Amino acid sequence: MPKIRIEGGHPLSGIIPISGAKNSVVALIPAAILCDETVTISNVPEITDVDDLENILIHLNAQIKRTKERVEINASNIINKEITETLSKKLRASYYFMGAMLGKFNKVDMYFPGGCSIGARPINLHLKGFELLGAKITEEGSHFIIEAEKLKGNKIYLDFPSVGATINIMLAAVKAKGKTVIENAAAEPEIVNVATFLNNMGAKIKGAGTNTITISGVRYLHSCFHEVIPDRIEAGTYLIMGALIGENLKIDNIIPNHLEALIAKLKETGVEMEIGLDNIVIKETNKYKATDIKTLVYPGFPTDLQQIMATFLTQCHGKSIIEETIYENRFQSLLELQKMGANVKIRKDNRKATINGKTKLHGTDVNSTDLRGGASLLVAGLIASGTTTIDNISYILRGYDNIVEKLQKVGAKIEII
Ligand code: EPU
């Protein structure tokens, strides 16, 4: 199994270009099957989650042409058949085929999705939405058959503004008869990107980016060209690296507005940044003070940056408290960070952790526990003394486009071994 090896202490300077957003593209690709003409998606990141979705499309007989940063999908000949357990479990986002297949064929036959083990991650809200649209769900273990004679618009209130449930309901409702209203919908930028894609194909979706989304069903979706928004979590990861070991590092091709919570928190600790229209340059600073963070739905502090921020907080002076409100099990990487010398205490209920800084980190062998946990260790490895070797890197490659190459270009001593 390949590992990532990092020799710490080498400053990063130059420009890091940010790729398309993982959590957007993983919904756009399944959404494309709702259309019977060719759709083109650009700014597609090279990540293994995209490869896994492509394999599902191939399994369903869709035609795909993938070139660098671009994918063309024609789903006019796709077959309504079971998405096998192996394919379903490869990634979390396979669940978007539930909404997309339901929207296209009124039926989907697949399994519970995979993904990082950061909590229970049920899909009850997705299923509740499908039921309210008229679908019947047959569930046996992890196998689901969801079918409807006819999908009909309805009012759907989400008990929690789930990103996955909001997008999945949009996908199922786009061609349903009549009007669907999602109340307490998630408002993440990725939702807006998916709604824009569907609207570009002729869908009638209003309110994406707010907590009430209205979808008026249409009969036909047509060909379109669509660009994936920049990945705000990838950008945030590199911003944190820049604050820790950058020399005027520029994070390019981003939407700074999408990063407001992180920018505010970094400023609180003393990080100085020059914020441009589509880039941020992190100024050289050396002394940061502790701060507290609490993860929340957008525009709150993103859970996907919590673990990476934890690495940053080990370098801030004083006591920082992290509160994780979205997932029940997203502190596993902190135990790996401890092996590198971090002073971390996790409360018994796994919801709060305290970090006392500043501590020197030293390289050692660590395990990537999940995608963002792996990234947090990679950041730690860049600033640690000596060599850090990270195992289980397939998690990291799921969601970071060419991370090793991007870092090598700005001066990091990092390689896959
Ligand atoms: N939840 C339910 N029932 C549901 C759906 C969600 O109880 O039916 C709970 C979850 O258990 C969790 C919370 O609601 O506690 C949030 O889940 P949400 O549905 O919003 O998340 P998701 O769709 O599973 C996506 C991203 C995650 C990201 C979250 C929150 C994808 C494929 N995944 O997950 O990304 O953390 O939204 O922003 O888009 C990552 O990139 O590292 C990652 C985990």
Side-chain angles (χ1 to χ4, degrees):
M1 288 294 276
K3 297 179 184 186
I4 287 179
R5 186 163 62 198
I6 308 161
E7 191 187 292
H10 296 276
L12 310 180
S13 66
I15 301 173
I16 300 190
I18 297 305
S19 304
K22 168 182 92 76
N23 289 345
S24 187
V25 76
V26 296
L28 296 172
I29 291 174
I33 69 162
L34 284 161
C35 179
D36 283 327
E37 299 175 16
T38 302
V39 294
T40 305
I41 305 172
S42 73
N43 201 26
V44 174
E46 281 182 39
I47 52 175
T48 58
D49 267 9
V50 169
D51 303 337
D52 293 334
L53 289 170
E54 194 179 327
N55 288 334
I56 297 180
L57 288 178
I58 292 168
H59 169 79
L60 295 173
N61 202 38
Q63 284 173 305
I64 306 138
K65 212 162 109 194
R66 191 165 160 201
T67 48
K68 202 170 162 40
E69 290 185 36
R70 188 169 284 208
V71 62
E72 277 174 31
I73 300 168
N74 185 306
S76 53
N77 289 323
I78 84 166
I79 303 167
N80 183 12
K81 62 171 179 174
E82 182 198 83
I83 299 175
T84 63
E85 186 160 15
T86 313
L87 288 169
S88 304
K89 288 202 179 312
K90 274 277 179 190
L91 77 166
R92 179 80 185 155
S94 65
Y95 59 23
Y96 289 130
F97 279 98
M98 287 185 171
M101 292 287 274
L102 197 58
K104 189 168 183 97
F105 294 117
N106 284 351
K107 182 175 175 189
V108 56
D109 180 345
M110 65 176 286
Y111 292 78
F112 195 83
C116 292
S117 125
I118 49 182
R121 310 187 81 183
I123 56 166
N124 57 313
L125 299 173
H126 306 229
L127 301 178
K128 170 182 158 176
F130 299 147
E131 275 179 329
L132 283 166
L133 293 174
K136 187 174 145 271
I137 294 159
T138 314
E139 187 180 345
E140 247 178 68
S142 64
H143 183 215
F144 290 84
I145 295 179
I146 308 169
E147 55 191 326
E149 244 170 57
K150 203 172 176 190
L151 292 169
K152 201 162 163 278
N154 202 347
K155 195 165 184 168
I156 300 165
Y157 171 80
L158 296 180
D159 301 294
F160 181 88
S162 150
V163 170
T166 303
I167 294 180
N168 239 338
I169 295 167
M170 286 198 313
L171 298 180
V174 148
K175 287 171 142 184
K177 195 171 173 352
K179 195 187 262 188
T180 299
V181 180
I182 312 176
E183 303 272 19
N184 199 26
E188 271 69 2
E190 292 74 22
I191 311 257
V192 181
N193 199 219
V194 175
T196 308
F197 176 52
L198 293 167
N199 284 343
N200 284 347
M201 292 196 283
K204 289 194 173 139
I205 303 176
K206 283 189 179 152
T210 74
N211 297 124
T212 305
I213 299 179
T214 307
I215 306 136
S216 302
V218 295
R219 280 173 178 236
Y220 191 78
L221 296 180
H222 54 74
S223 140
C224 80
F225 178 91
H226 183 76
E227 190 169 318
V228 185
I229 50 167
D231 194 312
R232 63 195 166 100
I233 307 301
E234 187 200 15
T237 306
Y238 289 118
L239 270 180
I240 289 171
M241 290 181 194
L244 289 172
I245 192 156
E247 283 178 352
N248 288 318
L249 190 68
K250 182 177 188 176
I251 314 301
D252 206 11
N253 181 32
I254 62 171
I255 301 175
N257 270 352
H258 291 173
L259 284 153
E260 264 178 5
L262 175 69
I263 291 170
K265 279 289 151 186
L266 289 178
K267 277 187 182 164
E268 258 177 51
T269 65
V271 177
E272 285 176 33
M273 286 165 272
E274 230 170 60
I275 302 176
L277 281 178
D278 68 348
N279 64 71
I280 298 180
V281 179
I282 307 116
K283 298 278 147 205
E284 278 174 64
T285 339
N286 42 38
K287 200 164 180 216
Y288 301 128
K289 56 178 189 290
T291 190
D292 298 338
I293 62 160
K294 180 176 181 174
T295 64
L296 288 169
V297 297
Y298 189 81
F301 193 91
T303 172
D304 295 343
L305 283 173
Q306 176 263 107
Q307 292 154 295
I308 300 146
M309 190 69 179
T311 301
F312 176 75
L313 294 174
T314 67
Q315 303 309 300
C316 295
H317 293 264
K319 177 171 140 185
S320 301
I321 296 173
I322 302 177
E323 188 176 352
E324 172 60 58
T325 74
I326 310 292
Y327 294 111
E328 314 90 68
N329 196 18
R330 218 175 195 182
F331 283 150
Q332 300 164 78
S333 54
L334 292 184
L335 301 174
E336 299 296 302
L337 215 48
Q338 261 174 352
K339 290 187 194 162
M340 299 178 73
N343 182 344
V344 179
K345 282 194 190 77
I346 304 172
R347 213 171 68 174
K348 272 210 183 84
D349 65 3
N350 244 339
R351 289 298 200 171
K352 272 193 183 173
T354 308
I355 297 182
N356 275 296
K358 171 179 180 175
T359 47
K360 281 211 168 96
L361 300 182
H362 53 80
T364 185
D365 292 352
V366 285
N367 218 336
S368 185
T369 52
D370 57 273
L371 163 60
R372 307 302 171 188
S376 76
L377 299 169
L378 197 153
V379 178
L382 293 173
I383 54 171
S385 57
T387 304
T388 300
T389 308
I390 309 176
D391 207 347
N392 270 329
I393 60 167
S394 58
Y395 283 121
I396 302 175
L397 305 179
R398 242 182 208 185
Y400 285 92
D401 180 349
N402 288 304
I403 188 163
V404 168
E405 294 77 0
K406 283 187 185 183
L407 284 169
Q408 280 169 344
K409 281 194 183 139
V410 291
K413 294 276 177 283
I414 180 169
E415 58 182 346
I416 294 190
I417 52 166

